[in-house]
Amino acid sequence: MADKSIREAHTPDAAPDAAPEAGVSEKAPSRDGISRRKLLGTAGATGFVLGAAGGAVGYAAAPSEATPLSSIGSNRVMFHVKHQPGITEGLQARGHLVAFDLTAGAGRKEAAALLRRWSATAERLMAGEAAAHDDTDVARDAGPSSLTLTFGFGHSFFSRTGLEKQRPVSLDPLPDFSSDHLDKARSNGDLWVQIGANDALVAFHALRAIQKDAGSAARIRWQMNGFNRTPGATAHPMTARNLMGQLDGTRNPKPTESDFDKRIFVPSSGSNDPAWMANGSYAVVRRIRMLLDDWEKLSLKAQENVIGRRKSDGAPLSGGTETTAMDLEKTDAQGNYVVPGNAHARISRPDQNGGAAILRRPFSYHDGFDADGVPDAGLLFVCWQADPLRGFVTIQRKLDRGDALSKYIRHEASGLFAVPGGAAQGEYVGQRLLEE
């Protein structure tokens, strides 16, 4: 289940949840002539506070001392970059995934106008500014908070806009997998938007602005909400945990690796993809429900054998630390593999899948409980690769044939989207496709 909530191959080495983001600025642009930093520095705030001495907890009955905009709020990700934002940045605390379908009568012209609006709004909001029209003021007091907006096209988009000849072969529908229990109403879509931020109100503000911008050109097909650990919540940056309690993302490929771009991004030349996909990537999106009641009945040892790693620190069962290379041949006194043959971490490794690797960048989700008290919770799995067939599909097929984790998860929704490269200054996302 290439996307498993605990991806290992795609679990590669997910960027630490508290890692700083590339292209980040410490200053948020001003609004109405007053910077948000200055605004928050002069505004009073009431609420839950921690005493500086001894960590005492209490409620402030009067405005607290003025404080500057925190580092979380001031972090800004740039919109006009080589690759769209929201792919290589560190995990954000809040996320929204939303798919749209073009409305009846809307075609290429309407789609181009919509992407132009969305790009302009994304640029403003990521800079900490208000939307150009009818801003809701939901994020008025906050800085950019590492907000990113990422846009992609689904398989059906091209027939709706008369651009079938420009549809990439890599966007062919994903094959069926044994763990699939897919809800078609919550899968696929003409257009896809990923929103992430380190503040819940900033993320919601962006979601609402994008929805309003859609106007009469597109309607929401499905929408999902996710979360991760807030940066700074741990004593030091570390790989995030998922709702099973496992470190999730240990083996994510790193941008510093020499073959990172080759694995994750479409090259500007020399590929079978159309020219408009240069510097872009393909996003596989899966809603993976974790069967937590069943999982939590397992002993700690049994859970670790399913994954192949220690729950406490993510180290392989063969020994060492989280980043120690897994010894797949190590056996115990009885001659059994220390890392079981069907362990998720073993099966999903790139060296067990012809070198296939993906960049996992998920969000956890919780959508309440059913009538029996069973949690509807799991992973909004998002993975990135230059070629879905050589990335996600290769790994998922291998997992489908015997991953111990498959018993405790269920894939309930799915989508595959072509995400073009970043928009140059003065351009909008997808312009090279829509105005070619």
Side-chain angles (χ1 to χ4, degrees):
M1 119 193 207
D3 9 17
K4 272 33 180 180
S5 104
I6 320 167
R7 237 54 227 143
E8 237 277 322
H10 344 83
T11 275
D13 233 324
D17 56 348
E21 289 141 51
V24 168
S25 167
E26 280 299 309
K27 294 183 178 180
S30 63
R31 168 185 288 179
D32 299 331
I34 303 176
S35 71
R36 284 184 172 167
R37 182 185 295 275
K38 189 171 296 182
L39 175 65
L40 292 193
T42 57
T46 59
F48 190 63
V49 297
L50 292 176
V57 176
Y59 283 89
S64 61
E65 286 189 22
T67 56
L69 190 65
S70 73
S71 60
I72 290 178
S74 63
N75 285 347
R76 174 185 175 185
V77 182
M78 305 306 294
F79 177 73
H80 292 292
V81 288
K82 181 178 181 180
H83 310 296
Q84 282 197 59
I87 301 176
T88 60
E89 285 77 19
L91 298 180
Q92 294 136 307
R94 294 287 178 171
H96 300 293
L97 307 180
V98 55
F100 293 80
D101 284 335
L102 294 174
T103 56
R108 180 173 175 177
K109 178 181 177 181
E110 290 76 15
L114 173 56
L115 267 297
R116 190 179 295 110
R117 292 194 298 273
W118 275 353
S119 296
T121 293
E123 182 177 10
R124 292 181 64 90
L125 299 189
M126 286 173 56
E129 301 173 5
H133 305 288
D134 301 322
D135 191 82
T136 62
D137 282 339
V138 172
R140 185 177 184 84
D141 310 305
S145 302
S146 301
L147 174 67
T148 60
L149 291 96
T150 317
F151 305 97
F153 305 109
H155 185 275
S156 56
F157 175 82
F158 297 85
S159 57
R160 298 283 182 88
T161 54
L163 290 166
E164 292 96 332
K165 291 183 179 180
Q166 288 296 320
R167 181 165 54 210
V169 174
S170 296
L171 204 55
D172 286 352
L174 298 173
D176 296 330
F177 301 104
S178 63
S179 57
D180 287 353
H181 295 75
L182 304 181
D183 177 358
K184 292 183 178 179
R186 293 193 295 180
S187 298
N188 302 312
D190 294 345
L191 294 157
W192 175 70
V193 185
Q194 174 191 253
I195 297 169
N198 284 330
D199 179 78
L201 290 180
V202 169
F204 175 81
H205 178 242
L207 175 64
R208 186 72 175 118
I210 288 299
Q211 181 205 5
K212 291 170 69 177
D213 275 349
S216 61
R219 58 176 177 78
I220 291 178
R221 178 181 177 87
W222 55 259
Q223 193 264 312
M224 302 172 189
N225 307 312
F227 59 90
N228 284 305
R229 175 173 278 157
T230 301
T234 55
H236 55 83
M238 61 180 292
T239 306
R241 292 187 185 273
N242 58 38
L243 298 188
M244 286 179 162
Q246 302 288 154
L247 292 184
D248 188 353
T250 298
R251 289 183 57 82
N252 249 350
K254 299 180 178 66
T256 53
E257 296 172 359
S258 60
D259 61 350
F260 179 85
D261 280 4
K262 180 180 179 180
R263 291 182 173 190
I264 308 305
F265 296 110
V266 175
S268 55
S269 62
S271 77
N272 294 324
D273 289 272
W276 64 267
M277 271 297 291
N279 301 316
S281 187
Y282 291 92
V284 173
V285 181
R286 309 278 279 188
R287 184 183 191 271
I288 304 174
R289 186 168 183 172
M290 296 177 175
L291 309 182
L292 294 177
D293 284 353
D294 294 336
W295 174 256
E296 291 163 5
K297 290 175 183 175
L298 297 178
S299 66
L300 174 62
K301 179 175 176 55
Q303 290 181 352
E304 291 181 335
N305 282 338
V306 167
I307 303 304
R309 290 181 173 272
R310 291 200 301 255
K311 194 171 185 178
S312 60
D313 59 5
L317 297 184
S318 54
T321 66
E322 181 186 358
T323 57
T324 299
M326 183 175 289
D327 184 351
L328 300 182
E329 302 303 319
K330 186 174 182 178
T331 58
D332 59 19
Q334 289 72 45
N336 299 314
Y337 285 128
V338 173
V339 180
N342 63 348
H344 181 77
R346 173 190 284 268
I347 295 176
S348 60
R349 288 168 55 95
D351 58 10
Q352 301 296 300
N353 293 281
I358 58 179
L359 178 65
R360 300 176 67 264
R361 197 173 182 278
F363 292 95
S364 292
Y365 78 87
H366 176 227
D367 288 341
F369 300 84
D370 66 18
D372 296 323
V374 176
D376 181 2
L379 200 71
L380 299 182
F381 175 84
V382 182
C383 76
W384 301 89
Q385 60 260 285
D387 184 342
L389 182 61
R390 295 182 180 180
F392 172 81
V393 173
T394 295
I395 299 168
Q396 185 62 29
R397 280 176 171 162
K398 183 72 173 291
L399 292 168
D400 226 26
R401 294 196 291 266
D403 176 24
L405 181 62
S406 295
K407 182 179 178 180
Y408 303 99
I409 59 173
R410 187 165 61 227
H411 293 231
E412 296 185 337
S414 178
L416 171 61
F417 302 95
V419 176
Q425 195 74 38
E427 291 184 349
Y428 62 87
V429 173
Q431 183 169 330
R432 280 165 282 177
L433 165 65
L434 293 163
E435 297 186 12
E436 53 93 30

